[in-house]
Amino acid sequence: MLQVENLIAGYGKVQVLQSISLNVAKGQLVTLIGSNGAGKTTTLRAISGMITPESGTIMLGGDNIAGLSTHQITRRGMAHSPEGRRVFPTLTVADNLELGAFPRLTGARPRGEVKADIERMIALFPRLGERRQQLAGTLSGGEQQMLAMARALMLQPEVLLLDEPSMGLAPRLVEEVFSTIARLKREKITMLLVEQFAAAALDVADYGYVLENGRISVHGPAAELKASPAVRAAYLGAAH
Amino acid sequence: MFEYLLSQLVSPVFWQLIASGVAVGMIYGVIAFGYQLTFATSKTLNFGQGEALMLGALVGLTVAPYTSYWLMLPVVAAFGLLQGSVVERLGVRQAIKIKSEAGWIMATIALGIIFKNLAENIWGRDDLKFPPPISEKPLSFHGVNVLPMELVIVAGAIIMMLLIELFNRRSIYGKAVVATSNDRDAAGLMGINTGLVITFSYALSSLTAAIAGVLVAPVTLTGATMGSALGLKAFAVAIIGGLSSGFGVVVGGLILGITETLTGYYFSTGYKDVPGLLLLLAVLSIKPSGLFGKSAIKKV
């Protein structure tokens, strides 16, 4: 579904990604782990067009989307729940969800049942239901994270990019976020998950890539990566 | 002194001054509202906004004889949309792309001068009379005389701003505009073409100015230079009220309009601009984000 090949990207003269290749098959949950500054967020930003890649190809369902602008990539079915949540603070929870379906409401993607989907999102994240008419800026960090994920799902995406959905959340909420991700996986939503909690991410994922200084150092089925001594030592906090 | 002030409060003259101050203030408010529309989406604004008002009035003056004052309004609105889009494409887009801090300021001022020269060549340098659409006979409320056109100005300005607010709150496209104002990158992730939203906000901003032009033209003189002072004063209003608040700019407009007419009558018309400008200086030194502003103005 999503194939990235030899992706080189960065900010201005600073090249962050040296040459990244990765593959997310339809219905799969793939995770990208690595230490801070390895280039995880940059990878997602390059895929969704928030930064323009220097070179490389990004194939989404057979089309190369590298070089397109963000809104064009979104309209092709790439949803991105970005780092820092980035909900629209002066709009209500309901309006934020509706905007997630903007391409569907404006004819750029099949419309489907937007209202019913909002209800489904509220069933998935009941807390958002209680806050429906509240401004998104007044939500707690955990609620904003749920809203950001729900908003991205409102696109009915081909691929969902999740950037650090657990960041800054209390342990109980981290668990909740991961159980939601597991549920989305059961619903066969294609996902690329960037996480700081490598162990939890590998537990839920089908396949994993380890990013080190802008390069993929190891990749393999999630269970194998979790068992690998090198990965355990570097990212899973295991004692030698 | 105190008794003199008290006696003024019950005099019809005082209330008449307030009424014309409100009418002038609403025009300042509408132009400033236009500044706020583009500042919200792009953190830039059109320093040729006064010229957009002037062009609206002159286009209206040219079209009105062929139709009627009321049928001319949609034509002026369409012209405003087009003119605003041109300003954004030529003067602002490139500056935003390269994140230039000053490029758009110079470019919009330059376009304003070009529009003024253009108008001087098409409509001449002399001020023209805009035939009023309704009676010029003042209405009297308890001895306070109000021009019917002043009521039209106030009503027109309020209706226009309410329609824009309604659009922003209710329609999906309006919500896309608010989303772009909140967080441009995140709005892009929603599939919103934020470049187009910025063009649209410029178009809408010029539309409000152009309509304000035809509203104000019957009570002022109409000509190529009519917009310059209005645009500048409305800019002061936008700073006083706060560029991030649609409500604030209207209040700012009313404050400036009323202080102007009162000063003009009780002191001297030569000093009528002074209190408003003193207020501007006071606001800049005490609360730089404006009376109703949310965050500091960094770019202007």
Side-chain angles (χ1 to χ4, degrees), chain A residues 74-75 86 89-90 95 98, chain B residues 175 182-183 189-192:
Chain A
T74 302
R75 289 174 188 186
R86 308 286 283 269
T90 73
D95 285 344
E98 201 184 336
Chain B
K175 287 171 192 175
N182 272 201
D183 186 334
L189 289 178
M190 301 300 108
I192 296 164

Side-chain angles (χ1 to χ4, degrees), chain B residues 57-58 60-62 64-65 123 126-136 147 149 216-223 226:
Chain B
L58 286 170
L61 183 65
T62 308
W123 287 280
D126 298 326
D127 284 327
L128 307 165
K129 174 98 178 79
F130 199 112
I134 49 174
S135 160
E136 285 182 275
L147 290 174
M149 202 55 216
V216 77
V219 296
T220 62
L221 291 167
T222 311
M226 73 183 285

Side-chain angles (χ1 to χ4, degrees), chain A residues 36 40-41 83 145 162-167 194-196:
Chain A
N36 282 337
K40 304 188 296 290
T41 292
E83 182 183 34
Q145 184 56 57
L162 290 173
D163 196 346
E164 304 255 10
S166 68
M167 194 198 270
V194 157
E195 252 305 328
Q196 48 174 349

Side-chain angles (χ1 to χ4, degrees), chain A residues 146 165-181 195-197 200:
Chain A
M146 288 166 198
S166 68
M167 194 198 270
L169 300 187
R172 191 176 48 79
L173 286 172
V174 172
E175 248 174 67
E176 207 175 312
V177 163
F178 273 103
S179 73
T180 307
I181 292 172
E195 252 305 328
Q196 48 174 349
F197 289 122

Side-chain angles (χ1 to χ4, degrees), chain B residues 26-277:
Chain B
M26 284 312 281
I27 291 297
Y28 295 154
V30 169
I31 306 172
F33 188 78
Y35 285 132
Q36 180 258 329
L37 288 177
T38 63
F39 191 76
T41 56
S42 66
K43 297 284 175 283
T44 65
L45 40 88
N46 179 8
F47 279 102
Q49 189 79 329
E51 277 64 41
L53 175 141
M54 172 271 292
L55 285 177
L58 286 170
V59 167
L61 183 65
T62 308
V63 173
Y66 299 101
T67 58
S68 71
Y69 182 88
W70 310 108
L71 280 175
M72 160 271 283
L73 288 176
V75 178
V76 170
F79 173 81
L81 287 174
L82 185 71
Q83 192 261 347
S85 313
V86 168
V87 170
E88 195 272 343
R89 289 281 161 131
L90 293 182
V92 184
R93 170 159 298 196
Q94 210 51 32
I96 294 178
K97 200 168 276 172
I98 62 167
K99 298 193 164 63
S100 159
E101 291 279 339
W104 59 270
I105 300 178
M106 287 316 299
T108 57
I109 291 175
L111 283 167
I113 294 171
I114 292 170
F115 285 128
K116 191 154 74 183
N117 289 342
L118 209 64
E120 280 173 346
N121 282 299
I122 297 174
W123 287 280
R125 284 166 177 272
D126 298 326
D127 284 327
L128 307 165
K129 174 98 178 79
F130 199 112
I134 49 174
S135 160
E136 285 182 275
K137 204 167 141 264
L139 304 168
S140 184
F141 301 97
H142 304 287
V144 181
N145 291 327
V146 178
L147 290 174
M149 202 55 216
E150 288 177 341
L151 296 178
V152 172
I153 289 173
V154 173
I158 291 174
I159 289 170
M160 198 154 59
M161 290 185 280
L162 284 181
L163 283 177
I164 292 173
E165 276 299 304
L166 203 66
F167 169 78
N168 281 347
R169 279 165 203 245
R170 296 274 172 231
S171 78
I172 185 69
Y173 291 102
K175 287 171 192 175
V177 172
V178 179
T180 304
S181 311
N182 272 201
D183 186 334
R184 193 176 167 191
D185 281 346
L189 289 178
M190 301 300 108
I192 296 164
N193 182 347
T194 56
L196 198 61
V197 169
I198 291 173
T199 308
F200 172 74
S201 67
Y202 265 84
L204 200 59
S205 160
S206 279
L207 178 152
T208 57
I211 296 288
V214 291
L215 286 176
V216 77
V219 296
T220 62
L221 291 167
T222 311
T225 52
M226 73 183 285
S228 313
L230 284 173
L232 193 64
K233 283 181 187 171
F235 184 62
V237 161
I239 301 295
I240 292 171
L243 266 171
S244 55
S245 162
F247 172 73
V249 295
V250 174
V251 175
L254 293 180
I255 292 174
L256 193 69
I258 291 168
T259 53
E260 262 185 29
T261 51
L262 290 181
T263 316
Y265 181 82
Y266 289 108
F267 295 92
S268 147
T269 48
Y271 282 117
K272 78 181 171 68
D273 294 335
V274 172
L277 295 175

Side-chain angles (χ1 to χ4, degrees), chain A residues 31-186:
Chain A
T31 186
L32 187 60
I33 58 177
S35 53
N36 282 337
K40 304 188 296 290
T41 292
T42 307
T43 305
L44 295 194
R45 288 170 66 92
I47 292 174
S48 68
M50 292 177 83
I51 55 172
T52 310
E54 254 169 62
S55 67
T57 57
I58 303 167
M59 304 295 287
L60 175 66
D63 298 324
N64 186 6
I65 56 166
L68 295 183
S69 53
T70 314
H71 70 270
Q72 290 168 323
I73 292 174
T74 302
R75 289 174 188 186
R76 284 164 186 251
M78 181 87 73
H80 183 172
S81 169
E83 182 183 34
R85 297 143 200 162
R86 308 286 283 269
V87 296
F88 302 115
T90 73
L91 288 169
T92 62
V93 168
D95 285 344
N96 269 271
L97 290 174
E98 201 184 336
L99 279 166
F102 183 80
R104 299 168 57 191
L105 290 164
T106 55
R109 288 187 68 71
R111 192 184 182 98
E113 296 290 326
V114 174
K115 286 222 164 73
D117 286 340
I118 289 182
E119 298 310 320
R120 280 195 16 226
M121 286 308 132
I122 281 168
L124 192 61
F125 303 98
R127 221 183 294 240
L128 296 181
E130 299 158 25
R131 304 264 185 267
R132 215 175 176 135
Q133 293 309 323
Q134 214 168 303
L135 297 183
T138 65
L139 300 183
S140 71
E143 290 162 348
Q144 287 191 6
Q145 184 56 57
M146 288 166 198
L147 179 56
M149 286 172 68
R151 186 181 64 173
L153 284 165
M154 284 298 295
L155 182 69
Q156 292 200 322
E158 308 291 333
V159 177
L160 172 62
L161 309 177
L162 290 173
D163 196 346
E164 304 255 10
S166 68
M167 194 198 270
L169 300 187
R172 191 176 48 79
L173 286 172
V174 172
E175 248 174 67
E176 207 175 312
V177 163
F178 273 103
S179 73
T180 307
I181 292 172
R183 186 164 162 187
L184 296 175
K185 184 188 166 187
R186 285 197 296 278

